Amino acid sequence: MDALATRHWHALPDGRVQCDVCPRHCRLAEGQRGLCFVRAREDDAIVLTTWGRSSGYCVDPIEKKPLNHFLPGTPVLSFGTAGCNLACRFCQNWDISKSREVDTLADAASPEAIAAAAARLGCRSVAFTYNDPVIFLEYAIDTARACRAAGIHPVAVTAGYVCHEPRSHLFAAMAAANVDLKGFSQRF
Ligand code: SF4
């Protein structure tokens, strides 16, 4: 799968390109990757390197996301990619969120295939989880649209560490979201 061209970035006077997806504002020289590892500079632009690739699926109760007032008692297809824009020491999905082997770990998964898998498994919703959908927002949005077209509800599980414009695009595509609080201080 080729890397996907993205729009949330701008060129800097010093020749670097700044990613505008999250407040880390990674400033990349040609060939560099951001802290999330999945957004990279290629040909003077920022691309998403994990569009169409998943690190795994699981059918969970929706209460595990945890959402208690959204389609209660129903199964959700949990799905994630690789990488993360946070680096929490307590991460329970560190093998996914800090993976540096996305090319070998990830399975091909088109948005339509994910929606079809959810329907086939009797899931009413698909959750973007395990790692933060902020970093793969174009893939999450495309998958959310495919899910809605199939009558499946898209759910974001996120830390919400995202800039204003991409935030509005990501959450406009979702039917529900769980925004996790990861720490209690600015220093954290
Ligand atoms: S999304 Fe990734 S590349 Fe972009 S600013 Fe955040 S950590 Fe850096």
Side-chain angles (χ1 to χ4, degrees):
M1 187 73 65
D2 291 336
L4 182 80
T6 68
R7 57 186 268 198
H8 300 293
W9 56 269
H10 69 277
L12 295 170
D14 65 5
R16 292 180 296 173
V17 171
Q18 178 174 312
C19 177
D20 296 322
V21 168
C22 91
R24 291 199 183 272
H25 294 307
C26 296
R27 298 174 172 189
L28 306 178
E30 188 65 25
Q32 285 187 319
R33 290 173 179 253
L35 180 130
C36 61
F37 194 68
V38 299
R39 303 184 86 85
R41 176 169 169 176
E42 279 184 20
D43 299 331
D44 297 328
I46 304 276
V47 298
L48 173 62
T49 61
T50 52
W51 194 99
R53 289 202 296 248
S54 166
S55 58
Y57 303 86
C58 187
V59 177
D60 293 315
I62 190 74
E63 288 79 6
K64 194 178 169 186
K65 294 303 94 190
L67 291 173
N68 290 326
H69 305 289
F70 182 78
L71 302 172
T74 64
V76 54
L77 183 70
S78 295
F79 138 83
T81 62
C84 192
N85 57 342
L86 299 181
C88 307
R89 290 188 179 179
F90 52 75
C91 183
Q92 62 181 0
N93 295 319
W94 59 271
D95 52 335
I96 294 171
S97 64
K98 290 297 145 190
S99 171
R100 296 293 179 262
E101 301 175 68
V102 289
D103 288 340
T104 53
L105 285 174
D107 295 325
S110 72
E112 292 73 22
I114 294 166
R120 190 172 63 248
L121 293 166
C123 296
R124 299 277 308 281
S125 55
V126 165
F128 308 105
T129 183
Y130 304 138
N131 63 329
D132 205 304
V134 162
I135 63 166
F136 62 93
L137 73 121
E138 295 86 357
Y139 183 31
I141 290 169
D142 289 346
T143 303
R145 288 176 178 151
C147 286
R148 284 181 182 274
I152 306 288
H153 302 277
V155 174
V157 180
T158 174
Y161 195 53
V162 58
C163 295
H164 175 75
E165 193 180 316
R167 178 176 65 216
S168 61
H169 290 142
L170 176 63
F171 290 112
M174 299 298 151
N178 169 42
V179 182
D180 284 332
L181 176 62
K182 298 294 188 186
F184 289 89
S185 67
Q186 284 297 329
R187 183 170 172 273
F188 175 88

